[in-house]
Amino acid sequence: MSPSLPPRATAVLLALVLALLAFRLGAVPLLGPDEPRYTRVAVEMHRAGEWVRPTLQGEPWLEKTPLFYWLAGGAFSVLGETEAAARVPSVLAALLLVGATALFGARLYGSAAGLHAGFVAGTSLLPFAYARAASMDMLLATTVTVAIGLLALRLLGIAGRLAIVAAAVAAGIATLAKGPLGLLLPILVVGGYVVATREWRRLRELLAPGPIAAFVVVGAPWYVAILRDQG
């Protein structure tokens, strides 16, 4: 049982998922109240060159954290202010989700299981729908999945200590994707595992200065900046 992914098969999987997600990506107008609202905030930040304060119709709008707005602004710079560009961050996040799912599956159960897991993740209904939506949900799902997967590999003795630091970075990005939920979900999953297995010694490693510093460096600066900006 190989714990790695075959490069050619993985590339084919990701290419197929990308083709599926990108097909007529901008053909459907922005839907519901959320896609137009989030896209408008991203447009205003992009036009103003603003990195800290999200605005909606020129007024501060702090309901969501900024990762989607930043990524959508980058897509606008390349593709213009279009529906397709607004959905690019979710497409890229979905590709990362598929790749991460395949990789974690391969490390745990072998390359065949990993590829099948990636295929399932890339073709399931809700991931497909949210991967084509201008919203924060796919960004949150992906970063939380990466954080929990890395922690799982370390707790099961498959990965080294750096996996916990990398998981902390992913959790920091998740808090920029959709707020404290990005940290709470990994804590609930890993905390449940520690309680169930009574491996209390794991807490010292999970709460070491390195992972905490990595999370703070990634996740905290925007919160500090918006607090100084808005009070």
Side-chain angles (χ1 to χ4, degrees), residues 33-56:
D34 288 339
E35 274 200 303
R37 182 186 300 122
Y38 299 154
T39 300
R40 182 62 197 178
V41 174
V43 165
E44 292 187 17
M45 291 185 74
H46 172 65
R47 290 179 180 178
E50 174 63 58
W51 289 90
V52 175
R53 184 194 312 120
T55 61
L56 182 62

Side-chain angles (χ1 to χ4, degrees), residues 151 154 161-162 164-165 168 200-216:
L151 290 170
R154 176 55 186 163
R161 291 179 178 272
L162 284 179
I164 296 182
V165 177
W200 307 113
R201 59 185 176 81
R202 295 290 192 178
L203 293 177
R204 180 178 299 177
E205 187 175 9
L206 293 169
L207 299 175
I212 292 175
F215 173 81
V216 170

Side-chain angles (χ1 to χ4, degrees), residues 60-143:
W61 194 78
L62 305 178
E63 182 176 325
K64 302 294 182 182
T65 43
L67 183 61
F68 169 78
Y69 309 137
W70 294 341
L71 296 176
F76 294 153
S77 297
V78 177
L79 302 174
E81 294 174 358
T82 65
E83 288 89 346
R87 291 164 176 155
V88 162
S90 294
V91 171
L92 297 179
L95 281 179
L96 179 57
L97 175 65
V98 170
T101 301
L103 177 61
F104 295 144
R107 294 299 304 274
L108 290 169
Y109 302 111
S111 59
L115 287 172
H116 281 88
F119 179 81
V120 171
T123 57
S124 297
L125 179 58
L126 282 181
F128 174 78
Y130 281 108
R132 291 172 58 92
S135 70
M136 295 79 179
D137 299 280
M138 187 54 63
L139 294 171
L140 176 69
T142 299
T143 49

